[in-house]
Amino acid sequence: MTDETDLDATAPKRRRAAKQDAVTAVRAKSLQSHGKNSKVYVPVILKLFRDRWRPGAATVVFSLDDVRTAVEAVRAVSDNPDAISARNAADVVYRMRSRTVLPDEILSKGFHVLRAIGRGLYQFEKASSGIMEVPVCELTPAIDQTPMPVRRLLPETMAEMDEQALLSVVGYCQLLDHFTGMKIYRLRSHVRKSVPGIGQAELDAIDVGISTADDDVPVVFPIEAKAVSDELNRVQIYNMIQYTAHYFPGLKVRPLALKVDYQSAVHIMEFNVASRPGDLRIVRSASYAINTSEAQIAMIRATNVPKQ
């Protein structure tokens, strides 16, 4: 493990696993088209940005009404206006911030973040990137302690698991206990709720930790989990921090993310409690290799649960 001061200075000891490094065939989710290739959403988002960006601006704010106006403006000059619709204006923002990459014209000016800032209000913000890169760490071996009645119903490798399966195995293997040095308990899973100032926040899990050396006051761990083909989104991490601050005021918050790679390594990252998405930093990280026994693998194969 490492700390905030030496994350950037530490020379990588192992490279990030890529798709070609998969230890078994993985049904990766189909990737959405790159933002610059979208003939519907990109012209609209560019129209919004060009109309409101000013040199030296750190943010560019717009509303859903502005989206609808931009759609009509793009339709007016399009060769195929019927292909461009504003029936759901919020979908334009959702797809451009979550499903695709922002156009190069916007990224070149330093705006990597697009997020909600209130009901029907959004803004572009400057940041070093929209995606949080996973640090490269030495692998720590861990025994797969998942109970057999559960483990036999899950995929054979970690790389084949979705977010909730990943959370289950990490919990049974007590990786969060090892990473945090605390006793970790699950509070809630798959939380989605509105937060003042940002709109809806979605969390894969909320855990609480207790340190035996303290006075049993719980520490809140909001968690974002990512399967093999998904990246860590800066705005998602920021939103879960805001959710925790709003619904658990006064308690210490330690934001975490879990990411599995194509070699089935499980990466755990802790973030600072940032006041804006662009200020997010990874302050601690560790990587684990969960070793599933031959008996477990034999039982998984014998059970032969269909891919889900």
Side-chain angles (χ1 to χ4, degrees):
M1 300 180 188
T2 184
D3 60 28
E4 187 173 15
T5 60
D6 66 5
L7 268 179
D8 295 333
T10 301
K13 297 180 177 62
R14 57 182 297 272
R15 64 180 178 83
R16 284 187 67 190
K19 189 172 183 179
Q20 58 267 28
D21 299 314
V23 294
T24 187
V26 178
R27 294 193 313 163
K29 298 177 182 177
S30 59
L31 297 177
Q32 298 288 333
S33 62
H34 193 287
K36 68 177 66 175
N37 296 330
S38 172
K39 296 179 180 179
V40 176
Y41 297 104
V42 167
V44 175
I45 213 73
L46 280 174
K47 175 65 175 172
L48 282 165
F49 185 81
R50 289 166 179 168
D51 285 351
R52 286 156 185 79
W53 175 78
R54 298 294 181 270
T59 61
V60 176
V61 180
F62 62 94
S63 68
L64 284 181
D65 285 339
D66 294 328
V67 175
R68 298 183 183 98
T69 300
V71 169
E72 293 307 315
V74 171
R75 281 173 55 88
V77 297
S78 173
D79 294 334
N80 185 18
D82 292 338
I84 301 172
S85 171
R87 286 177 294 180
N88 184 2
D91 190 52
V92 174
V93 182
Y94 172 75
R95 287 183 178 272
M96 292 308 302
R97 72 177 180 177
S98 302
R99 297 295 186 90
T100 63
V101 179
L102 288 172
D104 288 343
E105 179 180 330
I106 298 175
L107 298 180
S108 66
K109 291 181 171 62
F111 293 88
H112 289 263
V113 168
L114 172 57
R115 69 181 183 95
I117 57 171
R119 189 175 182 86
L121 285 177
Y122 305 88
Q123 73 180 18
F124 298 94
E125 294 180 12
K126 287 191 173 181
S128 59
S129 68
I131 300 299
M132 302 295 290
E133 291 293 331
V134 178
V136 179
C137 304
E138 287 284 2
L139 289 176
T140 299
I143 298 173
D144 192 342
Q145 302 180 59
T146 311
M148 188 65 84
V150 176
R151 190 64 186 88
R152 67 189 295 177
L153 301 178
L154 295 174
E156 182 175 325
T157 70
M158 298 299 298
E160 296 174 276
M161 295 186 186
D162 63 14
E163 291 84 357
Q164 290 301 319
L166 172 62
L167 284 164
S168 293
V169 174
V170 165
Y172 285 123
C173 296
Q174 300 180 343
L175 297 190
L176 296 181
D177 300 55
H178 182 274
F179 180 76
T180 64
M182 306 177 76
K183 181 60 181 175
I184 302 296
Y185 301 94
R186 176 58 43 83
L187 178 64
R188 296 182 65 185
S189 294
H190 202 188
V191 180
R192 181 182 295 173
K193 204 160 186 177
S194 180
V195 179
I198 66 168
Q200 191 174 84
E202 186 171 356
L203 296 78
D204 289 315
I206 305 173
D207 286 4
V208 293
I210 298 295
S211 175
T212 56
D214 293 329
D215 54 3
D216 288 345
V217 175
V219 175
V220 182
F221 291 91
I223 300 174
E224 178 71 24
K226 291 296 185 183
V228 68
S229 60
D230 295 329
E231 300 285 0
L232 283 173
N233 184 285
R234 187 181 292 271
V235 173
Q236 289 177 315
I237 301 297
Y238 173 78
N239 285 352
M240 74 179 191
I241 293 172
Q242 296 302 107
Y243 170 95
T244 311
H246 178 71
Y247 289 103
F248 301 96
L251 293 180
K252 184 176 181 179
V253 176
R254 294 176 60 182
L256 300 179
L258 309 179
K259 177 74 175 79
V260 65
D261 69 22
Y262 286 98
Q263 285 188 323
S264 290
V266 176
H267 308 279
I268 303 179
M269 291 144 281
E270 180 175 348
F271 300 86
N272 63 324
V273 180
S275 59
R276 55 185 293 273
D279 294 333
L280 272 176
R281 301 288 183 271
I282 297 173
V283 297
R284 295 177 62 246
S285 64
S287 301
Y288 297 87
I290 299 177
N291 299 315
T292 305
S293 70
E294 292 184 3
Q296 287 173 310
I297 292 174
M299 187 63 73
I300 293 167
R301 292 175 179 175
T303 306
N304 194 29
V305 172
K307 299 290 185 181
Q308 300 179 45

